[in-house]
Amino acid sequence: MGRVRADRQIRISQCMIVKNEEKNIERALSWGKQIMWEQIVVDTGSTDRTAEIAEAMGASVFLFPWIDDFSAAKNFAISKAKGNWIALLDADEYIRPEDARKLPGILRQLSQRGLEGLSTGWQQLDDEGNIFSSGTQIRIFRNDPEIRYRRRIHEQLESVKGRELRIGDVVQDLSIFHEGYQTKALKGKSGRNRRLIQEELKDHPEDYEMMGYMGDECSADGETAEAIRWYRRAVEHMPLSLKEYDQRSAATFTYLLRLLSEEEKVLAGEVQKVYDQAVQLLPKEADFDYMMGRFFAAQEQPNQASACLERALQKLETYGCSNRALLLAGNLQDAYDLLVQCYYQTGELQTCVNRAVTYLKYDRYGMGVLSRLLMALLPGEGTIKEYEAVRDFLSRLYHMGDLKDQLFLIKAAKLSGREGFYDFLLNCMFTQEERKGLGI
């Protein structure tokens, strides 16, 4: 099957820099092969079969000696591209093939509007392949000598003339999936990253973004005190105003709030002070309120916790998660689980039910949320009539004849501690023979 040429005016050059990506290179060159004009692989010193596999798959392979500078390597790759659009993803990143097929049409529309790049979704995958954080990235852009990367690490795409790039938002249509933050992928990178960040800080000692990245490295290595110190330094060097979609600064405040709230002897006033600074600079960022909700819940202050969590969810609904609310968007079940728990603790059972149902309509397999809902619906020892009412209520959310839903409901009933309702569901849903076959 030949490559698809959706439009002769749309010629996409897929570029990537690699080193020892033998396990990833085939997928990296496969997901978009049918729509790519050309595929360019820049090898920075592999000792495995990465280059060999790439060449066998038809990619043009170039060697570039590693000089401790990601931007230099990426800019070299761009310089080899002959297409009029660049798709520069890492080997551990991919776009789903069904989404990749949309790309030529999207780029055709962008060309007509005079835009220079795409802001896509960016989904971080954990060791189990689940999304744990969501953000945005600009990895697809015009092949223009004015557009290049800067900084040795945590490189950023920009105009070399200093103007703002004209970017189109396609977050709802296109996402890049990234496995680079998985535990196995992170091993061995910390020393290199720290060295490059330190080099950047030597050249740019006031760079608060680099300070935040250093905090990330320390935090990942378990150096909590050092991470807090770097995050505080970053906050001190921030300007008096920030751009609305400043992901890096939002992350610095969010991670600082998280680390402070986990300290044993932290003072609530100290955490509140950081939160106030964060909200003043980035008032639409929901992650700050999410962190404060978690902090107050851990301090056994459910009223304050629920207020913060409600504020976080409201900001998420109002402002979305494009370039913001990365942590909350990836941990929505945790936020709702904590929220319904807080309402249950304060005795606001109807509100607990309402918020639980709101979430379960979005994700009906939230075990913690459902078990808390059952506790709110059955605050005491129930009667058969009450059990029937709860079952009928749940039938609006679950398929009572579906085995997966049946088993999920039974497990949630067990977890909620409502043994009477658990026995009631078992008797309603399964015969003795079926229960024996299922081992329940």
Side-chain angles (χ1 to χ4, degrees), residues 54 79 136 153 158 187 294 333 388 412:
S79 74
T136 62
I153 190 170
E158 67 176 15
K187 290 181 179 178
R294 290 180 58 83
Q333 182 177 328
E388 290 174 343

Side-chain angles (χ1 to χ4, degrees), residues 14 16 39 54 278 309 383:
Q14 182 183 8
M16 71 181 74
Q39 293 180 301
L309 292 167
T383 64

Side-chain angles (χ1 to χ4, degrees), residues 3 14 16 24-34 36 39-41 50 53-55 57-59 61 91 93:
R3 292 184 179 178
Q14 182 183 8
M16 71 181 74
N24 293 322
I25 191 65
E26 185 173 350
R27 184 186 65 186
L29 290 171
S30 296
W31 63 261
K33 192 172 184 64
Q34 298 302 315
M36 296 302 168
Q39 293 180 301
I40 294 168
V41 173
T50 300
I53 295 171
E55 286 181 337
M57 293 184 68
V61 178
E93 296 176 321

Side-chain angles (χ1 to χ4, degrees), residues 80-272:
K80 298 299 180 182
K82 297 181 176 64
N84 52 12
W85 286 90
I86 305 287
L88 207 162
L89 279 68
D90 294 336
D92 56 8
E93 296 176 321
Y94 62 91
I95 297 174
R96 289 172 176 165
E98 60 270 26
D99 290 338
R101 287 192 287 270
K102 305 175 187 175
L103 189 54
I106 292 172
L107 292 178
R108 191 182 315 121
Q109 294 178 358
L110 286 188
S111 296
Q112 295 168 355
R113 294 164 56 193
L115 298 176
E116 298 171 297
L118 298 182
S119 176
T120 72
W122 195 45
Q123 313 300 336
Q124 306 292 334
L125 304 179
D126 61 20
D127 291 334
E128 285 73 46
N130 300 314
I131 297 172
F132 72 88
S133 181
S134 302
T136 62
Q137 285 283 307
I138 302 170
R139 299 298 187 81
I140 303 167
F141 50 93
R142 283 190 184 276
N143 188 1
D144 183 331
E146 185 183 325
I147 300 174
R148 290 293 185 269
Y149 284 93
R150 72 174 179 89
R151 295 202 302 210
R152 294 175 178 84
I153 190 170
H154 300 298
E155 56 281 6
Q156 289 185 341
L157 195 69
E158 67 176 15
S159 164
V160 297
K161 294 183 178 179
R163 65 174 179 81
E164 289 284 333
L165 296 177
R166 298 185 296 276
I167 303 299
D169 185 348
V170 295
V171 171
Q172 299 302 318
D173 301 308
L174 208 61
S175 274
I176 295 169
F177 293 84
H178 181 218
E179 296 178 340
Y181 288 139
Q182 294 180 348
T183 303
K184 58 186 178 183
L186 287 174
K187 290 181 179 178
K189 291 184 178 180
S190 178
R192 179 205 65 191
N193 292 354
R194 289 194 188 206
R195 185 179 70 254
L196 297 184
I197 292 170
Q198 289 285 15
E199 289 299 315
E200 280 294 315
L201 286 169
K202 285 180 183 177
D203 294 341
H204 308 283
E206 304 298 311
D207 191 336
Y208 59 93
E209 292 186 344
M210 283 292 110
M211 296 174 192
Y213 285 122
M214 184 61 83
D216 294 350
E217 295 298 326
C218 295
S219 179
D221 289 341
E223 301 172 15
T224 300
E226 190 69 3
I228 290 174
R229 187 177 73 84
W230 277 107
Y231 288 140
R232 286 193 182 280
R233 283 188 62 189
V235 170
E236 290 170 2
H237 284 81
M238 285 179 187
L240 296 177
S241 64
L242 296 172
K243 292 181 180 179
E244 180 178 340
Y245 296 105
D246 190 334
Q247 288 186 51
R248 178 58 256 174
S249 296
T252 293
F253 276 118
T254 299
Y255 299 150
L256 178 56
L257 285 169
R258 183 182 66 186
L259 292 181
L260 286 176
S261 65
E262 292 172 353
E263 292 283 276
E264 287 186 14
K265 298 180 180 180
V266 68
L267 298 176
E270 186 178 3
V271 180
Q272 185 69 44

